[in-house]
Amino acid sequence: MDLRFTEEQEILKQSARDFLATECPKTLVRELERSEKGHSPELWQKMAGLGWMGLIVPEEYDGIGYTFQDLTVLLEEMGRNILPGPFLATVTSTFPILEAGSEEQKKDLLPKIAQGEIILTTALLEEDGVFDAASIRVNAAPKGDDFVINGTKLFVDMAHVADHIICVTRTNEGAPEKGITLFIIDASTPGISCEVMPTTANDKLCEVRFENVTVPRKNILGKLDEGWPIVENLLRKGAISRCVESIGAIQTCIDMTVAYAKERVQYDRPIGAFQALQHKMADMWTAMETGRYLAYEAAWMESSGLPCAKEASMAKAYVNEVYRDVSKWAIRLHGAIATSDDHDIPLFYRRSKAADTAFGSTDFHREIVAQKIGLG
Amino acid sequence: MDFSLTDEQKSRSREFNDTCNELNKKRPKSLVGFEAIYELDECWEYNLYCAREFAKKGWLALGWPPEYDGKGDMMDRVLFAEARGYYGTPGVDIFGVQMLAPTLLQAASEEIKREFLPPIARGEAMWCELWSEPNAGSDLATLAATAIKKGDEYIINGQKTWNTGAHRADWGFGVFKTDPEARKHHNMTFLLLDMKTPGITVRPIEYLDGSAPYCEVYFDDVHVPARNIVGQEHEGWSVVNLLAGFERSGINEIMSMMRGLEEMVAFCNETKRNGKPLSKDPVIRNRLAQLACELEAARALAYRVADLQNRNEMSLMDASAGKIFFSELGERFAFVAGDILGPYGQIRTSRWAPQNGQWEKMFHEHFITTISMGTNEIQRNIIAWYGLGLPRMR
Ligand SMILES: Cc1cc2nc3c(=O)[nH]c(=O)nc-3n(C[C@H](O)[C@H](O)[C@H](O)COP(=O)(O)OP(=O)(O)OC[C@H]3O[C@@H](n4cnc5c(N)ncnc54)[C@H](O)[C@@H]3O)c2cc1C
């Protein structure tokens, strides 16, 4: 056992930290929140220059060929700094292409992803808002060599700037998990319309409507009717990714709170001298550190190809609440100053809500854990 | 012991509820949450309208002595607060009606009472609280803004902050250092000032949800008549403590959560996920049942505080316990509701948001009650030191 990062990972971590600190200051974060797009093409190009979008893309497709765990090292730094935009949407949509894409699809898309030329997202959730196969009702009907897609997707991350949408559709009305098919759809195809939903984190989740959208059969990702296991893998990897990103954010909330508690004087002493606050900060740190190693364990298992549905769900369920509670306490320990939008802590608190629901809520993942520990 | 209301109280409670229900029909849809009245013009107008309607019935002077045109008693205030909380009806200025008026009745001169109480009762003068400063929050006694007496005026200089509704208010009550040489707690004076006085600059601050309920207030040689004083010169600290005792009892917030619980129950009964009503989900049932227990406990404790106040037996411990409990219940409620709504819990007021986005709003607003009115850590100190008699921090 060796729970340290490798030397390359340490280098990646440090360079990501330095890059984000200079290239993605909080002024940009706020500007992007307020803008309609929520995406900075300039920043995106610089990130592409560092090879980030191609981090997990194999070298044969012009990527860097790093592991999933290497990716989580980068994601933690993105969480620590906050990086708005379509990075996570693109990377999580890359997983299913790597896993199930045809050679033609990989050759077409992966080099462009790695170069930062295209943005991807995955359209999964619908009206029910739950991550299970039964709630997929957007329909893809065969018509000659094509399929025609109809229906509405919700909460689609950054769909309004995406070039391609991986759409999870129903192609067969049989058992819920048996008739799911994934399509890679060019976002400019006629019949697709998109509207940004106003969210707590201003993170540009979209409603995407498909009206008689015609997609060639060759755009099926994986096999007809057999898409659900691909979705499950995406959800699991997405959950771990989001979790590690949250750990970075939690770390910042704690760092800022501890620093402020040393500085802010009330009753002739730094507020950090009050034991009531010291214990609270010690609890926050303990919650982070347990969540951190739980998330690292899940990331390591995923990266090593070990089955880890249970660990991934444990990590997501646990870290969801840690992020929410720590960022809430960060505000309370700061006092009024951190209830103002000018302060950075609310940027994190509001994102804890987004992190909570993305790739499965606490209750959703607890149910998976309940099944995995043998509750009949 | 008897928790019941008299027949007379029951009928008054019905009248309060009916009136709020009626006023609700004119409620703007944009009025979501507690603080929106300060932000949007149409909500502020509605607040003023409700205030005038209440004033016509004499309800802004509930519990005042008859010589100041008061009506009813302290229990009426409680019943009225319940009705307003349940219907989310604004119109009772928390600063003027709830906090300043009872303070003036106890601590102000006859002249000040005659001048300032009637406009409050008529719902005409809206107030704000000018206490906190950048470096004086919990430790308010270290405040730095000064009011130096010159002839029959005070000249105010300095800065206040986090002042709720200061951009809307006609008047402000504040504490300022009047004797920089004197020792702590005997160096400040409680003053009433017209917010339109030259030299006052009010700058709204954005709250974390992007709304603007509170402000920074700057004073640059602001002249205030020396007679606008409450209590004794340099002894404003005792007025501050008196007024702090009248800050929100929580009854309003508790009844608002009671209503919220009813709405959440209705939502769970109506909404199906995977073909099954949410109300059948054992996790949801368990969590909402727990909230219901806590809400009833919060209300029972709020009654206890009201009952003590009715008898003029103020219990610091119960008031602090009530404040901690209802405000942290607000946090838990916001989180449970958000969990139940799943991804919809993050949708701001819009066509996609269930129940007009009130739950998303609550995710931001619960800090108002845990941090303001004396933070919950300070409330815990009060219980420990003054209530339980534990050794005090020096
Ligand atoms: C929404 C909102 C509305 C407000 N409206 C008004 C208004 O209308 N008028 C007005 O004057 N002010 C208003 N305030 C300000 C409010 O009164 C202060 O925020 C409050 O007194 C706390 O002060 P602070 O924010 O400076 O925090 P600080 O006093 O700096 O406290 C920071 C942290 O230290 C803790 N702490 C401080 N002292 C102790 C101690 N002795 N023991 C243990 N812990 C301690 C606090 O609990 C907190 O967690 C408002 C605040 C908010 C959030």
Side-chain angles (χ1 to χ4, degrees), chain A residues 33-34 125-132 134-135 137 154-155 195-203 205 207 209 260 264-269 274 276-277 321 324-325 327-329 331-333 335-342 346 349-350 352-358 361-363 366, chain B residues 133-140 142 162 184 205-211 214 272-275 281 283-284 287 324 327-328 331 334-352 360 362-364 366-368 370-371 375-378 380-381 392-394:
Chain A
E33 271 201 19
R34 285 179 187 141
L125 289 182
E126 298 183 17
E127 200 187 346
D128 273 359
V130 279
F131 293 89
D132 62 7
S135 66
R137 274 167 241 145
L154 291 169
F155 312 104
E195 212 178 322
V196 176
M197 307 165 84
T199 54
T200 308
N202 301 324
D203 55 350
L205 303 184
E207 176 183 275
R209 286 182 300 273
Y260 185 70
R264 169 74 169 172
V265 172
Q266 292 286 278
Y267 302 100
D268 303 322
R269 75 209 73 188
F274 299 125
L277 305 199
E321 294 206 337
R324 177 169 84 189
D325 289 344
S327 58
K328 176 200 83 181
W329 274 110
I331 293 182
R332 285 189 50 185
L333 297 186
I337 194 155
T339 65
S340 146
D341 215 25
D342 296 335
Y349 176 68
R350 291 191 286 100
S352 77
K353 185 73 211 166
D356 182 319
T357 55
S361 67
T362 305
D363 288 344
R366 280 194 187 143
Chain B
E133 298 181 6
N135 290 318
S138 299
D139 189 10
L140 180 62
T142 53
W162 317 122
K184 209 174 172 181
I205 312 175
E206 250 182 62
Y207 190 66
L208 59 101
D209 62 358
S211 64
Y214 52 23
K272 285 190 176 165
R273 213 171 267 163
N274 283 339
D281 180 336
V283 174
I284 291 176
R287 294 218 194 144
I324 293 169
S327 59
E328 293 182 3
E331 286 180 352
F335 292 165
V336 169
D339 285 349
I340 291 173
L341 295 179
Y344 288 95
Q346 66 189 319
I347 302 296
R348 296 176 188 252
T349 302
S350 63
R351 71 181 168 89
W352 295 279
E360 197 279 335
M362 198 175 182
F363 182 76
H364 305 273
H366 61 75
F367 294 108
I368 298 168
T370 50
I371 296 175
T375 69
N376 283 11
E377 291 69 44
I378 298 298
R380 287 181 165 93
N381 288 345
R392 245 201 100 154
M393 163 192 94
R394 294 280 154 220

Side-chain angles (χ1 to χ4, degrees), chain B residues 143-163:
Chain B
L143 57 86
T146 55
I148 302 302
K149 200 164 181 183
K150 225 178 178 182
D152 55 1
E153 285 183 330
Y154 286 100
I155 317 285
I156 303 184
N157 279 289
Q159 188 206 336
K160 297 288 178 183
T161 190
W162 317 122
N163 312 106

Side-chain angles (χ1 to χ4, degrees), chain A residues 30-43:
Chain A
R30 290 193 162 83
E31 196 184 298
L32 292 178
E33 271 201 19
R34 285 179 187 141
S35 74
E36 195 204 319
K37 291 262 181 279
H39 163 56
S40 158
E42 283 159 72
L43 180 59

Side-chain angles (χ1 to χ4, degrees), chain A residues 108-277:
Chain A
D108 176 30
L109 295 171
L110 292 176
K112 291 185 202 148
I113 293 172
Q115 298 309 311
E117 285 166 19
I118 52 172
I119 291 168
L120 267 63
T121 191
T122 303
L124 175 59
L125 289 182
E126 298 183 17
E127 200 187 346
D128 273 359
V130 279
F131 293 89
D132 62 7
S135 66
I136 306 294
R137 274 167 241 145
V138 165
N139 183 270
K143 191 180 169 199
D145 249 2
D146 299 328
F147 278 80
V148 180
I149 300 180
N150 275 293
T152 301
K153 292 285 183 183
L154 291 169
F155 312 104
V156 186
D157 194 9
M158 289 283 179
H160 65 314
V161 296
D163 301 290
H164 296 272
I165 299 173
I166 297 181
C167 186
V168 181
T169 66
R170 178 154 299 285
T171 39
N172 192 319
E173 293 300 331
E177 291 166 15
K178 291 283 149 55
I180 302 292
T181 304
L182 277 62
F183 287 90
I184 305 173
I185 307 175
D186 185 325
S188 61
T189 312
I192 298 179
S193 57
C194 188
E195 212 178 322
V196 176
M197 307 165 84
T199 54
T200 308
N202 301 324
D203 55 350
K204 322 298 173 194
L205 303 184
C206 300
E207 176 183 275
V208 183
R209 286 182 300 273
F210 296 85
E211 279 173 80
N212 295 321
V213 175
T214 305
V215 183
R217 175 180 284 269
K218 69 174 176 55
N219 284 22
I220 291 177
L221 180 56
K223 293 201 180 104
L224 183 68
D225 292 343
E226 291 178 22
W228 189 249
I230 307 173
V231 175
E232 282 184 322
N233 290 340
L234 184 159
L235 274 178
R236 193 184 61 249
K237 288 183 189 149
I240 299 170
S241 301
R242 199 75 204 217
C243 235
V244 181
E245 194 189 27
S246 294
I247 292 292
I250 294 164
Q251 176 82 61
T252 303
C253 290
I254 294 176
D255 290 349
M256 287 180 70
T257 305
V258 170
Y260 185 70
K262 291 176 184 169
E263 234 170 60
R264 169 74 169 172
V265 172
Q266 292 286 278
Y267 302 100
D268 303 322
R269 75 209 73 188
I271 56 170
F274 299 125
Q275 206 167 41
L277 305 199

